Amino acid sequence: MQVNYEALIDETKNKMLKWQEINEQNMWELYSNKDGYIVYTKKNPENGIAMNRTQTEIARTPDQILDLVGDVNKRPLYDEKIETAHVIEQIDANTRIVYVRIKPPIPFMSSRDLVMVQKVYKQNDGIIIVCSKSIIHQKTPPINKVERAEMHLSGWIIIPQPNQMTKVIALQCFDPRGDVPQSVTNQYAKLQSDMMKAAVKYIALNYK
């Protein structure tokens, strides 16, 4: 694996762990608390782009959750906003380069796509982290009439609980790029919470 990819994703994972905390320093603002899903928003202190943090609990094991959310090929199974998703290059057992194309939120707007490095971290305390960040990949240049977006940070923090439940936290900082009205940018931000709800529903129905 190229050293820059390794350093990049490790740095992104550390930011995820730091920013996922609900404290005074992180300045999260509560957006909604409904049906077991708690959603916070804030501006990324590095670039001012909107970030989302969505949290819930599910009566499934961390490995069951990882089996779904850690496999980009399964993303279209639960996320109807995805046109296509696949692995471009498998770096090692836990690290891969992935491609995701997102349907436009409104008609007459181009799709957005992402090329990201993704890594799964399994900590000694049982916590699992799935972390992704946009990269430039020479073998996957931008596609005509598809806007290459940027994922500054995206991932899942999967935390086992003592009551046979698993806490799941999803964080995302997504820049759709291009000439996008603020109202549409807000729709993209909402997709993260919708994605978590869809993933949790799929896990509940398909993992026993």
Side-chain angles (χ1 to χ4, degrees):
M1 183 178 183
Q2 297 183 27
V3 175
N4 61 328
Y5 286 170
E6 186 76 55
L8 187 68
I9 199 64
D10 285 347
E11 180 185 10
T12 303
K13 182 260 294 184
N14 292 335
K15 289 179 182 179
M16 276 185 58
L17 290 175
K18 175 184 176 182
W19 289 344
Q20 64 94 14
E21 297 288 347
I22 304 298
N23 56 35
E24 185 175 334
Q25 289 74 26
N26 284 335
M27 300 177 65
W28 286 106
E29 296 183 6
L30 181 63
Y31 177 77
S32 68
N33 185 349
K34 185 178 180 182
D35 300 327
Y37 293 87
I38 307 172
V39 183
Y40 291 87
T41 62
K42 64 177 286 186
K43 297 291 186 182
N44 186 322
E46 296 179 350
N47 53 33
I49 295 173
M51 294 179 62
N52 276 41
R53 179 195 187 278
T54 306
Q55 174 182 319
T56 194
E57 291 192 1
I58 181 173
R60 294 293 183 270
T61 68
D63 283 335
Q64 287 175 320
I65 298 166
L66 175 64
D67 182 74
L68 184 69
V69 304
D71 186 348
V72 71
N73 295 302
K74 295 179 180 178
R75 180 83 178 265
L77 294 177
Y78 61 90
D79 191 347
E80 63 180 13
K81 309 296 193 302
I82 298 301
E83 288 184 359
T84 185
H86 60 269
V87 175
I88 297 171
E89 180 182 353
Q90 188 75 37
I91 304 297
D92 57 40
N94 296 312
T95 313
R96 58 200 61 87
I97 308 301
V98 302
Y99 177 84
V100 177
R101 189 183 304 165
I102 307 167
K103 297 175 184 177
I106 59 173
F108 311 112
M109 183 176 169
S110 62
S111 300
R112 261 54 184 173
D113 70 355
L114 295 156
V115 177
M116 298 177 288
V117 55
Q118 181 192 75
K119 186 171 182 177
V120 175
Y121 300 83
K122 292 188 175 182
Q123 299 187 163
N124 293 333
D125 56 7
I127 294 175
I128 299 172
I129 303 158
V130 182
C131 183
S132 302
K133 179 177 174 58
S134 282
I135 59 168
I136 296 173
H137 191 258
Q138 300 299 331
K139 296 180 181 179
T140 316
I143 300 171
N144 186 36
K145 297 184 179 179
V146 176
E147 186 77 31
R148 180 61 48 88
E150 182 170 4
M151 188 68 76
H152 293 278
L153 176 152
S154 176
W156 302 78
I157 303 174
I158 304 167
I159 309 169
Q161 302 296 293
N163 59 354
Q164 306 300 313
M165 300 289 285
T166 300
K167 180 190 292 185
V168 186
I169 300 170
L171 288 98
Q172 180 172 288
C173 182
F174 174 73
D175 183 355
R177 296 286 184 90
D179 187 14
V180 181
Q182 184 60 47
S183 60
V184 175
T185 300
N186 293 338
Q187 288 186 53
Y188 274 114
K190 184 177 180 294
L191 294 183
Q192 183 237 22
S193 298
D194 291 343
M195 178 191 68
M196 172 183 267
K197 293 174 184 178
V200 168
K201 182 179 179 180
Y202 186 91
I203 292 167
L205 292 174
N206 295 278
Y207 290 76
K208 304 298 182 184

